[in-house]
Amino acid sequence: MNDTPGWASPGSAPSDGPDGETPRPTEPTAPQDGPASKWSKEQPPPAQWSAPGAPGQTPQPPGQGGHGGWGGGPGVPPGQPRGGWGGGGWGTPPAAAKPGVIPLRPLGVGEILDGAVSTMRTYWRTVLGISLAVAMVTEIIVVLLQGLVLNTQTTTDALSDPSATVEELTTALFQTLLDSGVILLVSLLGSFVVTALLTMVTSRAVLGKPVTTAEAWRDARPQLPRLLGLTFLLPLLAAALVTVGALPGMLVAIAGASAAGTSLAFLGGLGGLIVAIWLMVRFSLSSPALMLEKQTVRKALGRSAKLVQGSWWRVFGIQLLAAILVNIVVSIILIPFTAVAVALSGDGVSGFLNSGVGNVGWTFLIITGIGSVIGSMLAFPITAGVTVLLYIDLRIRREALDLELARAAGIQDYGPHTPGATSGS
């Protein structure tokens, strides 16, 4: 056991139990007629286990000293709960151990989002430094490409021209897809770097241990080639599924039945898109599995599929919610920058609308680029943090990873009998 991101090796707790869950060790039960040797060897000192209301002693509130009301007292063997929590003035059970940004137990939606934000807030120098550097490099490349290479207003004018020929429309559509593909490629490269580094930062933040950018790079470097392949494999797989779904309709349209072919291509593409979304959610935890478990690409995809099995809708909902919140934040940041860019671009709003986005000047590109850098600097940590914490949450629920995390964080005597260390469902 160590405190590096390698704490999550799948071999330590495989998900081979019923429904993919590994049962936790059970607490000791009171012996009926058996010898006393069946009791657990790890028992707290007797002085800390007296029952509330015992003569000459004052009951301690849950979570303060002792074990918060577990066991002790006449007729109640050590290690056994006395009447359950919340009864007879016992109050609520104590919180689970929290060495870092999340408690070591199954997480709720709010706790996952809060953990991602807490990581950014607690280790802001490392997190925002990484995000800012990657966002600046990515946006500079995008602005240069848009200003020097992809400024193709003349070519794309055909898309809004009712009298354009089929050849002109095809050329314009191909050029638009090519431009979008180049920008997507640059964005994927930026996402690749951020995912690699912030995964390491978040894994340390769960243990309450800070990490510098140099340390995150050192931990991530051995897995970078595999992560790069995974980063491009998933969008290529999604694009291939949509293309395969739309291909029959496209062939029909080329054969001459344009109306029927268009409808068939739309329905086929929609079906391919649904399958692609299902697979993307199923494989959405492959990046943290690859980085933290030191897996190959194929095994990381299998690990993600195994963890998400039975929780697809929950994973999809949390990631969708995080994406919506991130886009709202980015939009709030971008709107004023876009307004200023339009006002300073020379022709005002009417000129911008008439010229279209394919013929914007350097002023517009630079000002909106600054807004994009700020938005990406805040969006990258939340997106990456939610993915890593989702992975950790599912491993806590299915493989009792909280026990491994507690030991890696240096928490003594942490186990299933510890208050708050409950198994997930």
Side-chain angles (χ1 to χ4, degrees), residues 310-386:
S311 302
W312 190 94
W313 283 107
R314 181 173 182 271
V315 173
F316 171 73
I318 293 175
Q319 292 187 329
L320 179 62
L321 176 62
I324 292 174
L325 294 177
V326 165
N327 278 281
I328 290 175
V329 172
V330 172
S331 298
I332 292 174
I333 295 173
L334 281 178
I335 288 174
F337 280 92
T338 304
V340 172
V342 170
L344 297 179
S345 60
D347 297 327
V349 177
S350 59
F352 173 77
L353 294 177
N354 292 330
S355 64
V357 296
N359 195 31
V360 295
W362 285 104
T363 301
F364 180 88
L365 291 175
I366 292 173
I367 295 177
T368 55
I370 295 173
S372 297
V373 168
I374 298 174
S376 298
M377 182 180 66
L378 299 177
F380 282 151
I382 297 177
T383 303
V386 167

Side-chain angles (χ1 to χ4, degrees), residues 4 46 109 145-146 152 154 156 190 195 246 257 275 286 330 335:
T4 66
V109 177
L145 286 173
Q146 289 178 326
T152 55
T154 304
T156 56
T195 299
V275 175
S286 53
V330 172
I335 288 174

Side-chain angles (χ1 to χ4, degrees), residues 125 134 295 397:
R125 290 184 179 178
V134 174
Q295 299 277 19
R397 292 171 180 270

